[in-house]
Amino acid sequence: MSETNRSVNLPSVAPLQNVALAESVMQQLIDRPSHLPGMAAFFGPSGYGKTIAASYVATTYRAYYIECKSTWTKKAILLAILREMGVMPATTIYQMVEQVAEQLVLSGRPLLIDEMDHIVEKKAVELIRDIYEASNAPILMIGEEQFPAKLKRWERFHNRMLVWQQAQASDLDDARELANLYVTQPDGIELADDLLEDVLRHSRQAARRIVVNLELIRKQALRQSWKYVDRATWADGQLYTGDAPARRRVAV
Amino acid sequence: MSEIRPGRDRGRKPVSLTHAAQGVVSTQDAVWQVIRQFPGEFAHRDVCRAAQGVMKTGVNDDTVRSYLRRLAAGGYLESRDQKTSASGKPLKGAARQRLYRLVRDTGIETPRLTRDGQPVTQGQGQESLWQTLRILGECNAQELAQTANNARVAVSLADARHYIKHLHACGYLVMTSRNNGPHSMARYRLLPSRNTGPKAPQVQRIKVVFDSNTGETHVPARHQKGGPE
């Protein structure tokens, strides 16, 4: 676990498109000149690997990470952040905002807020702005597809954003990388590009569904002792699409 | 059970026998806490006195001195020799002392520094693993390793396996699907009640888990008295 030991070829999610995007957004926030706004949004449909990206970014930059819950109030958000920081919470909300801001300024660590949608619908958005105004710290918010539209209502918030980054649908490179991480590295099974294209199509380019399909293929390949799987080998094998099953019809 | 006598013959004290385990801050934490509150310059003696107040026990002068030196080496403190007393009289011999001033306050987190003032890297891997576990919620060792491994901290599959194994034995993780055979990996989920806080639980040399968020030590279930074999 040493920092210098980089010679070993360790598996990493770093080459995935969305992980790299989230990382570059965070880097932009950190490198920005201080007169530019310091908040950013990373948003996209569920299953695109946003949380994996968030996790990678949080550990890389030692960000304070919170994941919002639908039941959270302003106070709950502040308590969660303070808990992450290890600061004993003060009693009132405005004092807590000051505590959070102070710790962000002194430590220089960024703040990462996942599932931000949950608190956009409440007044809590203003709270995040208060924290930002008081600390000028980099704040990365992660949310679902509708997140920017929901934020539009809060104009004062809206123009403090440095970057709006949409999570990208997986492409063939991502599929190759996932196949490498989940199939080739653990079990030494190679997957051909034509099969990966099918996987991409059936998964509608969502990373989570791609992983499910890769697992299907991996299991079948192990059963059949395939070392190399392409479209022809897979033949009529089913792939997972994530669709709910259709109504069954009685055969006439 | 024979009593364990820390600090005599075995080098460094196990973390579970230090002050952190008794819900009290360690000397280093106490020192950092008090020097953040001094308004101006302070001497070693002032730090010792204030730290004793925080810890409600005696503190070792040398522990404090060595930490002040490390902070100065790391650029957190500036220091100078006091040549004259407050009233302007020149000081001689033992009356002279070194005065420190905090120049770099990095917040509540106590800096852990080596003798030459560099940040301590030990424990970074487990910190990364713990944070990733908390964010992902459920994963297998492979997924944990590839997400926790990043440009700042290198984490291998073996590290992830080791950490998962001991957290599972000590009741932090539940196994949601078993490892059945050479080509499968068990999946684990972090128990919400054991998501105790930001500090990574440490796997100690005797394979018990010390949680510095709560100050508790967790022993594997199979070693507990009266527990299932």
Side-chain angles (χ1 to χ4, degrees):
Chain A
M1 287 191 204
S2 71
E3 199 176 20
T4 46
N5 185 11
R6 303 261 59 193
S7 55
V8 195
N9 185 19
L10 301 168
S12 173
V13 294
L16 293 174
Q17 211 184 166
N18 282 333
V19 174
L21 277 177
E23 198 187 358
S24 84
V25 172
M26 187 57 104
Q27 194 62 49
Q28 284 179 54
L29 283 182
I30 290 170
D31 294 342
R32 78 188 198 278
S34 59
H35 61 276
L36 290 186
M39 296 200 278
F42 184 62
F43 58 96
S46 101
Y48 270 35
K50 295 192 301 294
T51 294
I52 296 266
S55 174
Y56 182 85
V57 171
T59 47
T60 307
Y61 293 92
R62 290 199 78 217
Y64 292 115
Y65 173 94
I66 57 160
E67 185 187 347
C68 300
K69 305 274 156 52
S70 61
T71 51
W72 277 12
T73 57
K74 280 187 193 176
K75 190 177 173 188
I77 298 164
L78 286 165
L79 286 175
I81 301 176
L82 287 171
R83 181 168 178 255
E84 280 308 297
M85 294 173 164
V87 177
M88 189 70 76
T91 42
T92 62
I93 288 189
Y94 78 89
Q95 286 170 326
M96 287 196 253
V97 171
E98 277 171 18
Q99 284 183 308
V100 168
E102 175 174 325
Q103 179 62 22
L104 284 175
V105 171
L106 291 177
S107 67
R109 289 167 63 175
L111 178 63
L112 208 162
I113 306 174
D114 201 354
E115 308 282 358
M116 179 74 182
D117 312 62
H118 287 313
I119 58 172
V120 173
E121 277 142 25
K122 303 177 182 173
K123 276 248 175 136
V125 170
E126 295 286 357
L127 177 77
I128 306 298
R129 192 181 68 89
D130 287 346
I131 293 175
Y132 169 70
E133 289 294 307
S135 67
N136 205 25
I139 300 180
L140 176 59
M141 287 164 283
I142 295 180
E144 300 262 304
E145 253 176 319
Q146 299 303 316
F147 172 52
K150 285 183 191 168
L151 263 187
K152 273 228 170 84
R153 276 184 55 214
W154 311 91
E155 170 117 26
R156 276 184 296 177
F157 198 84
H158 211 258
N159 57 28
R160 280 175 177 82
M161 303 295 268
L162 182 67
V163 197
W164 295 92
Q165 180 63 58
Q166 189 156 17
Q168 300 296 309
S170 299
D171 58 12
L172 192 58
D173 283 339
D174 281 340
R176 282 197 201 112
E177 193 54 46
L178 288 168
N180 180 37
L181 286 175
Y182 284 92
V183 185
T184 312
Q185 282 199 2
D187 297 304
I189 299 163
E190 302 276 344
L191 302 188
D193 278 357
D194 56 356
L195 180 62
L196 288 177
E197 277 164 14
D198 284 358
V199 166
L200 262 180
R201 207 176 53 248
H202 280 89
S203 313
R204 273 174 274 136
Q205 301 179 307
R208 190 180 291 152
R209 286 192 284 257
I210 295 177
V211 173
V212 173
N213 278 321
L214 291 176
E215 182 63 14
L216 276 177
I217 297 172
R218 188 183 76 96
K219 283 199 170 140
Q220 183 66 9
L222 287 171
R223 248 178 252 132
Q224 309 283 348
S225 320
W226 293 333
K227 281 282 153 213
Y228 177 85
V229 194
D230 57 12
R231 189 182 277 159
T233 331
W234 190 247
D236 300 330
Q238 291 292 308
L239 287 173
Y240 168 82
T241 59
D243 291 334
R247 189 168 72 104
R248 275 192 287 183
R249 296 226 180 109
V250 181
V252 188
Chain B
M1 209 172 99
S2 69
E3 192 198 351
I4 303 169
R5 300 267 321 249
R8 295 275 174 233
D9 328 304
R10 16 182 327 191
R12 197 188 181 117
K13 232 186 232 185
V15 64
S16 55
L17 297 177
T18 61
H19 289 92
Q22 290 137 36
V24 191
V25 289
S26 69
T27 309
Q28 193 164 298
D29 290 331
V31 169
W32 180 246
Q33 205 173 316
V34 301
I35 63 177
R36 288 186 68 207
Q37 283 159 9
F38 284 123
E41 290 187 313
F42 50 87
H44 171 251
R45 205 186 329 166
D46 308 323
V47 179
C48 290
R49 201 172 300 144
Q52 276 174 16
V54 172
M55 298 199 42
K56 300 186 180 74
T57 63
V59 295
N60 188 327
D61 285 8
D62 290 335
T63 311
V64 176
R65 185 171 293 115
S66 111
Y67 188 48
L68 289 178
R69 274 198 199 128
R70 279 177 282 143
L71 285 172
Y76 292 83
L77 301 178
E78 262 173 19
S79 63
R80 66 177 180 96
D81 278 325
Q82 187 184 20
K83 297 220 169 80
T84 55
S85 70
S87 55
K89 258 172 55 184
L91 293 173
K92 279 184 199 149
R96 283 192 176 187
Q97 54 184 351
R98 204 147 185 84
L99 290 180
Y100 297 93
R101 197 162 54 84
L102 182 62
V103 286
R104 190 168 144 220
D105 184 354
T106 51
I108 189 149
E109 202 185 351
T110 311
R112 293 171 62 220
L113 303 168
T114 61
R115 213 180 292 179
D116 39 357
Q118 296 302 309
V120 172
T121 55
Q122 193 228 355
Q124 282 184 343
Q126 290 195 353
E127 185 191 70
S128 180
L129 286 168
W130 174 243
Q131 177 73 323
T132 306
L133 262 178
R134 291 191 333 135
I135 297 175
L136 297 185
E138 185 176 321
C139 58
N140 63 31
Q142 170 87 17
E143 288 163 356
L144 179 61
Q146 72 204 20
T147 316
N149 177 37
N150 58 45
R152 191 175 60 86
V153 195
V155 176
S156 70
L157 180 58
D159 296 332
R161 278 200 166 125
H162 171 267
Y163 200 52
I164 282 185
K165 176 181 167 188
H166 295 295
L167 286 190
H168 177 242
C170 294
Y172 279 79
L173 307 175
V174 284
M175 200 189 283
T176 52
S177 71
R178 283 188 41 157
N179 166 3
N180 43 13
H183 292 284
S184 83
M185 268 190 177
R187 291 188 75 78
Y188 298 87
R189 172 170 282 278
L190 178 65
L191 273 178
S193 62
R194 284 297 181 86
N195 189 346
T196 46
K199 294 181 197 157
Q202 305 166 42
V203 179
Q204 292 181 259
R205 200 169 5 169
I206 55 166
K207 310 307 178 209
V208 299
V209 170
F210 173 70
D211 192 330
S212 49
N213 298 299
T214 57
E216 286 168 6
T217 302
H218 299 281
V219 178
R222 63 179 187 282
H223 292 157
Q224 276 165 12
K225 272 188 189 155
E229 277 301 309

